[in-house]
Amino acid sequence: MTNKPDRSGSCILAGFALAAMLACTTPSASAHEANKRVADANALVPADHVSRPAPPSTRRAVARAEKGPYYVDFRARTAASWGHAFVWYGKTSERAVEVAGLTPSGDTWAYVLGHLTWVPAETGASYGDLDPDYLTANYRVYLNEADAKRVFAYIKKLQASSPVWNAETTNCTGFIGDIAEYMGLKVPNRWQRPENFVNSLKDMNGGRQMVRLSAE
């Protein structure tokens, strides 16, 4: 989609109304929440996976076949508006996680203005990213160490090269879609709700758990 600079007066009034609504319903992120980098790295293992473990004779073989020592977890959570898409990434054996996502920098007005033009962006953890109660969808993919180094470096580069946010062009689903595409995954239409995007990403890739990057 392309940016549409001509907006009607009714659209602007609707934006102001949205701002008023969000101002009443969106909690402010504390500095502590925004800077936290520790969470349970296994919080998103699907319930059916936990409740129906593989038989003892095959459990270790399945784990070796489907999991690597590192992961990227594509996630979606609730928000006062459409929701938010982001990634967790890190080492499977550690509770510490890194968070990357694209959000407007500032308060509710920055979000509303971002529907009309580009606004400054933040690319780290935002309010609710580390809270499993807000989670609506996830798709975790595992990597070996060599591939993880390449993917994690790409995420850092993407964060450093994403200074602005816009609801139509440079948004959160597009951000994590770039990461998925770099990893060689099939990527769905990026202009949809974060929850739908993550679920579609998982479906399009058959729920595959292990990804191996092609040789450079």
Side-chain angles (χ1 to χ4, degrees):
M1 296 175 67
T2 58
N3 190 45
K4 303 178 181 63
D6 294 329
R7 305 285 180 176
S8 67
S10 59
C11 179
I12 295 174
L13 290 175
F16 291 156
L18 175 62
M21 177 188 70
L22 293 178
C24 296
T25 59
T26 306
S28 298
S30 65
H32 175 72
E33 175 71 19
N35 293 321
K36 281 198 306 180
R37 288 294 183 275
V38 178
D40 186 351
N42 294 313
L44 283 181
V45 175
D48 59 347
H49 177 80
V50 174
S51 61
R52 288 179 287 178
S57 60
T58 62
R59 188 179 303 157
R60 290 184 180 275
V62 170
R64 283 197 299 269
E66 295 185 345
K67 294 185 179 181
Y70 295 87
Y71 67 91
V72 174
D73 205 334
F74 299 92
R75 303 164 70 102
R77 65 167 173 80
T78 60
S81 56
W82 277 53
H84 179 51
F86 56 101
V87 296
W88 275 12
Y89 63 100
K91 194 169 184 177
T92 308
S93 60
E94 297 178 355
R95 288 173 59 88
V97 301
E98 289 292 330
V99 182
L102 188 65
T103 59
S105 177
D107 56 18
T108 302
W109 292 108
Y111 171 80
V112 173
L113 186 60
H115 284 71
L116 307 175
T117 185
W118 288 268
V119 295
E122 295 178 352
T123 59
S126 60
Y127 184 91
D129 289 357
L130 296 172
D131 191 336
D133 291 339
Y134 295 153
L135 184 69
T136 56
N138 88 284
Y139 174 37
R140 180 172 292 191
V141 179
Y142 295 92
L143 302 156
N144 62 35
E145 184 173 3
D147 287 345
K149 287 182 179 179
R150 292 170 58 187
V151 172
F152 294 176
Y154 176 79
I155 293 174
K156 295 291 187 184
K157 180 180 178 181
L158 188 62
Q159 288 178 291
S161 60
S162 302
V164 295
W165 179 89
N166 176 265
E168 294 186 10
T169 57
T170 50
N171 54 31
C172 61
T173 52
F175 183 89
I176 71 168
D178 286 343
I179 298 171
E181 188 172 37
Y182 180 82
M183 294 171 64
L185 296 171
K186 298 176 182 178
V187 180
N189 185 332
R190 304 182 186 194
W191 286 272
Q192 55 182 307
R193 289 180 179 274
E195 178 181 358
N196 296 339
F197 179 88
V198 173
N199 285 331
S200 295
L201 179 67
K202 184 175 183 177
D203 291 343
M204 287 181 66
N205 291 281
R208 61 184 291 198
Q209 289 188 295
M210 192 74 190
V211 167
R212 298 186 184 279
L213 275 63
S214 60
E216 291 183 324

